[in-house]
Amino acid sequence: MRCLVTGATGYIGGRLAPRLAEAGHVVRCLSRSAGRLRDVPWADRVEIVEGDLVDPTTLRPAFDGVEVAYFLMHSLGQRDFERRDREAAENFAAAARAAGVRRIVYLGGPEPPPGERSSPHLRSRAEVARILLDSGVPTAVLRAPVIIGSGSASFEMLRYLTERLPVMVVPRWVGNRIQPIAVRDVLRYLIDAAGLPADVHRAFDLGGPDVLTYAEMMHRYARVAGLPRRVVLPTRVLSPWLSAHWVGLVTPVPNAIARPLVASLIHEAVAHEDDIAALLPGDPPIGFREAVRLALGRIRDANVETRWSSAAGMDAAAEPLPSDPDWSGGSMYADERTRAVHAPPDRLWRVIEGVGGENGWYSFPLAWSVRGWLDRLAGGVGLRRGRRDRHRLRVGEALDWWRVEEIVPGSLLRLRAEMRVPGRAWLEMRSEPAPGGGSVYHQRAVFLPRGLAGHLYWAAVLPFHGFIFDGMARNIARGAET
């Protein structure tokens, strides 16, 4: 089928488009600026057209020949998001009807219990659902609660609050029940919804197998992430407005997004029916722990690189995309150094491959020795392991307190730290040819903190990085030149 995806630069749309293509559909993505999708890994597998849902005159080419149209646009974070989403939905519905689209699929939010005052965020989602259901085009509205996956604003709030606060004074809404669902399962339902029979025209509740309070979600996240149990102290003092500012203070999630999300948490978000399972049979949704484990996979698989895999597998959907906002994906600290080297790349590589053991680390030996003694006092391996061979390294072998994780001969050495630190650390060294001769040395130290202790650790060692890592880069370059 020919599918149109709106919101392809967003969290769900950017994950749905390549998976629709992988499923055999012809995919067209609508964006106000085609350049925003130019560099995504799947750009060559979709058609990209420019248009703006709030400007109906731009929509006809996008809907031409489309059989299934996905409405995934949401203006959350903008001051007038309710008005913009209303206009976008009305224009989308009119364009779909005029083009003879066979099905509309919309990912909305949970409905508050009857009689409760809705938050602006959920009120807008419900209004968009009504507009699309009244479009005259068969429509499937999928109502999802908290979506678990790296890059999801709701998940990022949960991640940062849990990781950064071992003791939390929290508002009473942490006792409300939520039925979270993994992003991989949301995407599966969205893809399969394209094939629903024409007489299916309604809303469906989505949810995973676990019904948890927000506090329980924080405790379970902490266990999966290897953090000590969090102390949660509910209070009635924090209003939704104050809660949003509190979230903005503790996490990098912007206040403009945190405010409507926090306001929505005053409602319970539990599925009232599971009719979608009968219409779209498949593997049942995975549980909260497995969803979190997948969302943390980019951190826990010891992969320093932050580039998203171009594979369209559902498990990869839980990991970060280059198009995700810069506040998503968890905390990562890095120290990067680059130096021009007046020596060929192969000579620079010999110095890189010779680090550690008797050869040393080319920078402030006393500081490295003291750090090794401290690590041994803490029960770590220290610097006593040395290296197996003075000149050659192999993947998997020990190198002082490091483990050789990857080698690309002549180009890349990546080491994973096995010292006692509250987080995970890597050191990456590269040798590259320089234009016009010589070479370039790239050095990158990466630290992924675990809990508040990890952030404090990085802050404590940061003052020493200037002379340790800069000296290391300078001396490796000098060693290659002599």
Side-chain angles (χ1 to χ4, degrees):
M1 283 183 282
R2 183 176 293 276
C3 300
L4 173 68
V5 176
T6 65
T9 58
Y11 174 64
I12 293 294
R15 287 159 169 77
L16 177 65
R19 288 162 179 82
L20 283 170
E22 185 74 12
H25 299 293
V26 177
V27 181
R28 179 182 296 159
C29 295
L30 175 68
S31 175
R32 282 177 294 176
S33 172
R36 295 182 64 189
L37 293 172
R38 181 186 57 202
D39 296 326
V40 297
W42 40 268
D44 59 345
R45 289 187 279 155
V46 304
E47 177 189 359
I48 301 171
V49 297
E50 288 193 345
D52 190 341
L53 285 176
V54 297
D55 182 359
T57 63
T58 66
L59 300 182
R60 184 174 178 179
F63 281 83
D64 185 35
V66 167
E67 298 170 88
V68 179
Y70 288 89
F71 188 92
L72 302 175
M73 177 262 192
H74 197 41
S75 305
L76 192 66
Q78 300 185 31
R79 185 178 305 172
D80 56 348
F81 73 87
E82 290 184 85
R83 177 189 61 80
R84 289 182 60 85
D85 284 358
R86 181 187 313 114
E87 293 179 1
E90 291 171 346
N91 295 334
F92 180 97
R97 183 171 57 250
V101 170
R102 290 166 43 191
R103 165 140 327 265
I104 290 173
V105 181
Y106 170 55
L107 181 64
E111 285 209 334
E116 287 193 13
R117 184 180 178 183
S118 183
S119 70
H121 170 226
L122 295 184
R123 184 170 63 237
S124 174
R125 293 290 182 115
E127 182 181 33
V128 169
R130 286 194 299 272
I131 292 170
L132 299 179
L133 287 167
D134 292 341
S135 66
V137 178
T139 298
V141 175
L142 307 184
R143 297 189 294 226
V146 170
I147 297 176
I148 304 299
S150 184
S152 161
S154 296
F155 176 74
E156 296 301 338
M157 280 174 45
L158 175 71
R159 181 208 300 264
Y160 287 115
L161 287 174
T162 308
E163 290 191 349
R164 295 186 175 185
L165 296 177
V167 179
M168 291 172 266
V169 177
V170 295
R172 59 185 177 182
W173 49 254
V174 299
N176 289 347
R177 296 184 308 152
I178 300 170
Q179 195 167 348
I181 185 169
V183 63
R184 55 167 282 170
D185 294 316
V186 172
L187 292 171
R188 199 270 289 182
Y189 285 128
L190 286 169
I191 294 170
D192 291 352
L196 284 169
D199 60 348
V200 175
H201 180 71
R202 53 164 292 189
F204 298 91
D205 288 343
L206 300 185
D210 301 311
V211 177
L212 308 165
T213 67
Y214 202 89
E216 289 171 336
M217 288 169 59
M218 288 191 285
H219 289 314
R220 293 195 183 189
Y221 177 96
R223 285 199 292 272
V224 174
L227 301 171
R229 182 174 176 81
R230 279 17 207 166
V231 178
V232 178
L233 305 173
T235 178
R236 293 179 177 271
V237 175
L238 293 179
S239 67
W241 182 83
L242 286 174
S243 298
H245 284 279
W246 169 67
V247 169
L249 178 67
V250 174
T251 82
V253 179
N255 270 343
I257 294 176
R259 278 196 302 271
L261 289 179
V262 168
S264 300
L265 290 172
I266 64 175
H267 307 292
E268 293 200 333
V270 178
H272 300 290
E273 44 83 14
D274 189 28
D275 298 346
I276 194 75
L279 286 168
L280 301 176
D283 293 335
I286 62 175
F288 178 79
R289 285 193 181 91
E290 179 68 8
V292 171
R293 188 189 67 79
L294 291 174
L296 298 181
R298 181 62 62 182
I299 292 177
R300 300 178 67 82
D301 68 0
N303 189 344
V304 178
E305 299 296 335
T306 58
R307 294 189 297 272
W308 176 71
S309 169
S310 60
M314 288 298 187
D315 287 349
E319 298 179 353
L321 275 178
S323 56
D324 289 343
D326 56 9
W327 44 261
S328 66
S331 300
M332 183 185 79
Y333 298 114
D335 183 288
E336 299 189 50
R337 313 276 169 169
T338 300
R339 297 190 72 89
V341 181
H342 301 296
D346 60 333
R347 191 182 301 171
L348 173 59
W349 173 252
R350 285 198 295 271
V351 178
I352 292 173
E353 194 176 11
V355 298
E358 295 179 2
N359 301 331
W361 291 90
Y362 300 99
S363 173
F364 203 173
L366 179 60
W368 285 89
S369 297
V370 169
R371 184 63 184 87
W373 298 333
L374 292 175
D375 190 55
R376 291 191 64 178
L377 288 174
V381 297
L383 293 174
R384 58 185 170 178
R385 297 189 303 191
R387 55 181 292 155
R388 178 190 58 84
D389 184 284
R390 185 179 177 87
H391 304 289
R392 295 287 182 267
L393 293 174
R394 294 184 301 183
V395 172
E397 70 179 357
L399 176 60
D400 291 331
W401 63 43
W402 306 92
R403 180 74 58 180
V404 179
E405 184 175 272
E406 184 175 351
I407 295 178
V408 178
S411 175
L412 166 69
L413 172 63
R414 181 182 297 149
L415 307 174
R416 184 181 73 249
E418 294 187 338
M419 67 187 86
R420 292 294 184 93
V421 291
R424 307 191 72 182
W426 292 263
L427 179 61
E428 188 175 270
M429 293 170 277
R430 292 178 181 270
S431 170
E432 296 180 358
S439 54
V440 178
Y441 173 65
H442 296 284
Q443 177 180 292
R444 186 181 186 217
V446 174
F447 182 65
L448 302 175
R450 185 174 65 247
L452 180 61
H455 295 279
L456 295 176
Y457 171 81
W458 179 263
V461 299
L462 187 60
F464 302 99
H465 286 179
F467 56 87
I468 291 179
F469 285 130
D470 189 63
M472 182 177 180
R474 182 178 60 252
N475 291 330
I476 285 178
R478 187 178 298 163
E481 292 170 344
T482 58

